[in-house]
Amino acid sequence: MKIEGTVSENAAAVDERIDSGSVPSTVGMTTRVVKGSLWTLAGQLAPLVVSLFATPFVIRLLGSEGYGVLILVGLIPSYFGFADFGMSIASTKFASEAYAAGDSEKEARIVRTAAFVAFCSSLPIGLALFASSAKIVWFFNVPAEYQPQASIALKIAAVTFVVGFLNTVFNTPQLTRLRMDLNTFVNSGFRLLGLAATPIVIYLGYGIIGAVTVLLAASLLTLAGHVYISGRLQPKLFQLSIDRRSLRPMLKFGGAVVFLGMAGVVLFNAEKGLLARLVSVEALAFYSVGYTLAAMMIMLSSTLIQSLVPAFSQLTNEKNRSQLENLFARTIKLSLILLIPAAATLCFVVKDFFRIWAGEDFALNSTTPFYILILGLLFSVPGYVPYSLLMAVGRANTVAKLYWIEIIPYLLLVYFLTLLYGINGTAAAWSIRVAFDGIVFFVMTKNTFNIKTLMTSVGSGWMALGLVIYLPTIFLSLSSKTDLSLFSFAVYSLASIAYLVILWKQILAAEEKNWILLGIGRILKHA
């Protein structure tokens, strides 16, 4: 009832704003982005926590080989993540611009247009996956005893594939208004149910097919939730017309995103398929466990993107230049402040965590790939801020050209490093590539927009932060051969305190300290 009331009040406010001919204010955009990112982050952390409890049961019920097959079934459709013709991000970009101009009808038409294009472009690929599922699982080296299950599961995943694209379009009215709380409620709520139900259906004997069916049900419920919530925020959403005038620029932008996405799915997922092909699906399971924990860092970047693209889209006018630069710099700072201790903490506990969570085999085979992946992500995650700006101003082609140039060298790097070093080589190839991209995105943004960040004035502070948290982590990782000890916990606690002191004295600006203190005061007041 509380959420429904909030949606109704927001929708009424939107209608009143449109009727009066006003446009939404861009004041306080940084705070809105931070709040939106925190909501999105919470929405990803909650399913992660449930997954951390559910996955050990799934691994033990299916075995490492069966778990590898389940990972592969989910992975194969992701190779076609561009099949919506770029409408997910096109809908957010163009609808945000219409919303910023106060044109509610155009915003609604853009969402309908994007949904229509996404459905028409993804359906043929979904049907192809459905029809050729048996041949696909054979090609990816799935053991013979798992092939019938894997084929049926891939057919179900093909349906989820199409539904998923509609989810990423129909949540647009929530994103344009930076209502990440509502978007998080819908996305995470049903995902939580799906994750919790997965080990149950496997235990009941439905195996891999049951697990994939649960994910389809969760995706359908998510779609229903987005249609309902977005319809309350944007009452004009359910008309039948499309925006013919915007269709051409949307398709042009979407074509660039497809060009980018086709390269992106290879760069972000090829190493998994090659690992299964060159080594085994069991090796894929070991790698995927390490990747899953490292992906907590990617989670931070994805939360920023979801808020930053609509925010940057609303600040593209020259009069908002100072706000855009401030938002750009502050979000980079925020990502580093969160990334540095989070990555160090994960490195500190990872081996013991894997041992308890997934078993001794995973502790032995997944820990080193995790360390390698984290190293690349330390350079990659901050790069998602300039990436978001490039996408918001329609420079998808620029990113796409970079990705396409990288494909052949990257595939060769994965191939040879995997042959030489197995799972560790696969992780090294992926880490080298994402670190390179993160650095290049900053160079692109500086050359294209001449945007400077706040980083240069606090360079020594950032170096001190890194040293104070990572030197103890490296020392403890090398010296602690078994379980975590009281001594190691004390050393890491002291390092964390030193990190907070340096952060407060050398990194945070006065207004940022005041913002934090005010936020703490509000929390204590409502506690």
Side-chain angles (χ1 to χ4, degrees):
M1 293 299 294
K2 184 177 180 180
I3 289 176
E4 183 176 341
T6 303
V7 175
S8 301
E9 292 166 9
N10 187 281
V14 170
D15 290 340
E16 183 179 350
R17 173 183 58 79
I18 296 299
D19 292 340
S20 64
S22 63
V23 296
S25 172
T26 58
V27 176
M29 186 65 79
T30 300
T31 299
R32 292 162 62 191
V33 167
V34 170
K35 288 182 178 179
S37 297
L38 291 176
W39 267 109
T40 306
L41 182 61
Q44 295 192 22
L45 285 176
L48 178 63
V49 171
V50 175
S51 180
L52 290 177
F53 284 100
T55 301
F57 294 100
V58 174
I59 292 174
R60 287 165 173 81
L61 288 168
L62 293 177
S64 58
E65 199 168 50
Y67 180 67
V69 173
L70 178 61
I71 293 294
L72 184 64
V73 168
L75 172 67
I76 291 169
S78 70
Y79 287 130
F80 303 94
F82 54 84
D84 68 336
F85 208 81
M87 289 300 106
S88 300
I89 193 166
S91 179
T92 301
K93 169 182 163 52
F94 286 90
S96 294
E97 292 171 353
Y99 174 73
D103 194 338
S104 178
E105 290 189 1
K106 183 177 181 180
E107 179 197 2
R109 290 197 305 270
I110 285 172
V111 176
R112 293 194 298 270
T113 303
F116 175 75
V117 174
F119 180 76
C120 291
S121 61
S122 63
L123 184 61
I125 294 179
L127 292 174
L129 288 172
F130 190 96
S132 57
S133 61
K135 294 181 179 179
I136 293 173
V137 298
W138 171 83
F139 174 80
F140 278 99
N141 204 24
V142 172
E145 63 270 24
Y146 285 101
Q147 287 186 16
Q149 289 185 67
S151 177
I152 296 172
L154 185 55
K155 292 180 187 295
I156 298 170
V159 180
T160 308
F161 169 77
V162 177
V163 175
F165 286 126
L166 296 178
N167 284 327
T168 60
V169 172
F170 278 111
N171 70 343
T172 298
Q174 301 158 44
L175 301 184
T176 57
R177 291 155 180 79
L178 292 176
R179 290 304 306 269
M180 302 306 173
D181 52 342
L182 300 177
N183 186 56
T184 296
F185 172 77
V186 177
N187 280 333
S188 301
F190 295 115
R191 188 180 174 196
L192 287 170
L193 292 176
L195 290 170
T198 297
I200 296 174
V201 298
I202 295 174
Y203 177 76
L204 293 175
Y206 296 101
I208 296 170
I209 296 173
V212 177
T213 303
V214 164
L215 296 179
L216 172 59
S219 187
L220 289 169
L221 290 171
T222 301
L223 178 59
H226 281 312
V227 170
Y228 174 76
I229 296 292
S230 293
R232 300 302 297 268
L233 289 174
Q234 172 52 278
K236 299 174 183 178
L237 183 63
F238 300 120
Q239 298 174 8
L240 296 178
S241 62
I242 63 173
D243 197 319
R244 289 187 173 88
R245 183 173 296 181
S246 297
L247 181 59
R248 185 171 181 178
M250 288 177 68
L251 290 175
K252 182 179 179 181
F253 177 83
V257 174
V258 169
F259 189 56
L260 165 64
M262 291 175 68
V265 293
V266 175
L267 294 175
F268 281 92
N269 293 304
E271 88 285 359
K272 301 180 185 71
L274 283 172
L275 182 60
R277 180 70 178 174
L278 296 174
V279 186
S280 67
V281 291
E282 186 176 34
L284 174 62
F286 292 138
Y287 176 83
S288 296
V289 165
Y291 183 92
T292 298
L293 193 62
M296 291 179 66
M297 302 299 101
I298 302 176
M299 184 187 303
L300 173 62
S301 61
S302 66
T303 61
L304 289 172
I305 289 175
Q306 201 163 45
S307 296
L308 283 175
V309 171
F312 282 145
S313 296
Q314 295 178 44
L315 297 175
T316 52
N317 293 330
E318 189 61 33
K319 65 179 182 179
N320 295 323
R321 173 78 180 195
S322 61
Q323 285 182 273
L324 187 146
E325 291 189 355
N326 183 63
L327 177 61
F328 185 90
R330 293 297 170 84
T331 47
I332 291 172
K333 179 185 283 190
L334 175 64
S335 68
L336 287 171
I337 288 171
L338 296 176
L339 174 67
I340 292 172
T345 301
L346 289 177
C347 290
F348 178 53
V349 303
V350 62
K351 189 169 184 178
D352 298 275
F353 172 78
F354 283 154
R355 183 180 295 112
I356 297 169
W357 185 60
E360 188 65 36
D361 286 346
F362 285 88
L364 292 173
N365 293 284
S366 300
T367 301
T368 302
F370 169 84
Y371 288 141
I372 298 171
L373 292 169
I374 281 290
L375 185 61
L377 288 170
L378 286 172
F379 294 91
S380 172
V381 170
Y384 279 88
V385 178
Y387 171 87
S388 298
L389 178 57
L390 291 168
M391 299 304 292
V393 298
R395 296 298 181 92
N397 265 326
T398 304
V399 182
K401 290 174 184 176
L402 169 67
Y403 279 5
W404 278 101
I405 290 171
E406 290 178 344
I407 285 180
I408 298 302
Y410 176 63
L411 290 177
L412 291 173
L413 187 65
V414 173
Y415 182 82
F416 286 110
L417 288 182
T418 301
L419 284 180
L420 290 173
Y421 304 107
I423 300 174
N424 295 337
T426 305
W430 190 91
S431 194
I432 291 169
R433 203 267 309 164
V434 298
F436 175 78
D437 284 351
I439 295 170
V440 171
F441 289 149
F442 276 101
V443 175
M444 285 182 175
T445 305
K446 183 178 180 181
N447 292 340
T448 305
F449 305 102
N450 194 30
I451 290 182
K452 298 179 181 179
T453 72
L454 300 175
M455 298 301 103
T456 54
S457 61
V458 290
S460 60
W462 288 112
M463 183 172 293
L465 277 181
L467 290 175
V468 79
I469 199 77
Y470 280 107
L471 287 181
T473 301
I474 295 170
F475 168 75
L476 293 172
S477 298
L478 294 175
S479 62
S480 181
K481 298 180 180 180
T482 55
D483 297 332
L484 297 175
S485 65
L486 183 61
F487 170 76
S488 62
F489 180 77
V491 170
Y492 192 74
S493 298
L494 290 174
S496 300
I497 294 172
Y499 173 87
L500 293 174
V501 171
I502 295 173
L503 177 66
W504 189 263
K505 289 187 173 295
Q506 296 192 35
I507 302 298
L508 295 177
E511 60 186 86
E512 293 165 344
K513 295 177 184 178
N514 291 333
W515 185 82
I516 292 172
L517 292 174
L518 287 173
I520 294 174
R522 292 192 193 100
I523 293 173
L524 294 176
K525 183 178 179 181
H526 291 89

